[in-house]
Amino acid sequence: MSAEKDLKLIEDQSLKTHVLEKLASVIDPELGIDIVNIGLVYKVQLFEGGFCEIQMTLTTMDCPFAETIEAEVKEALAEIPQIRTSRVKYIWYPAWNPERMSRYARIALGM
């Protein structure tokens, strides 16, 4: 059993909001829009001890920028003092589709 499984999930809405704000600084290299507005972030989970898990997807399973995006997510979260460690967990169901994009993303992409 991994150490994260032993941690207690915490609810801190202001910290979750701060995490999402930081994730909005991570830009998808192909689309030029942040991963939050594209709809790639599915869930933010916070655990005691400063562990954060980001459940997200990519526009395609074979996205060539997966490693880059994951590294940038971790860098963004490292800037938050309350987050000591983080992990990106990829979720493939439900699959991403353009319906997940915010109005801002749709306008920026001319949709």
Side-chain angles (χ1 to χ4, degrees):
M1 182 181 283
S2 70
E4 291 89 21
K5 298 239 185 239
D6 297 331
L7 294 177
K8 182 180 176 186
L9 190 63
I10 60 171
E11 287 300 322
D12 183 336
Q13 196 56 48
S14 67
L15 183 54
K16 279 187 181 182
T17 299
H18 190 52
V19 166
L20 287 169
E21 289 169 353
K22 282 295 188 182
L23 293 178
S25 70
V26 178
I27 305 299
D28 179 283
E30 278 186 299
L31 299 176
I33 307 229
D34 70 87
I35 63 172
V36 174
N37 277 295
I38 294 172
L40 298 181
V41 177
Y42 285 7
K43 188 183 238 182
V44 172
Q45 289 191 299
L46 303 169
F47 296 86
E48 58 187 17
F51 177 68
C52 178
E53 180 179 270
I54 304 301
Q55 295 180 14
M56 64 176 287
T57 195
L58 298 168
T59 54
T60 63
M61 287 182 83
D62 60 346
C63 175
F65 299 107
E67 288 180 17
T68 301
I69 291 171
E70 184 172 339
E72 290 182 14
V73 164
K74 289 184 174 196
E75 284 178 31
L77 296 179
E79 295 176 8
I80 302 174
Q82 300 94 317
I83 305 296
R84 293 186 180 170
T85 59
S86 62
R87 173 176 64 195
V88 173
K89 181 177 180 183
Y90 289 108
I91 306 295
W92 302 111
Y93 182 83
W96 179 87
N97 67 59
E99 301 284 316
R100 293 192 51 85
M101 291 192 295
S102 70
R103 183 172 185 267
Y104 163 79
R106 290 171 197 260
I107 290 170
L109 295 173
M111 300 175 84

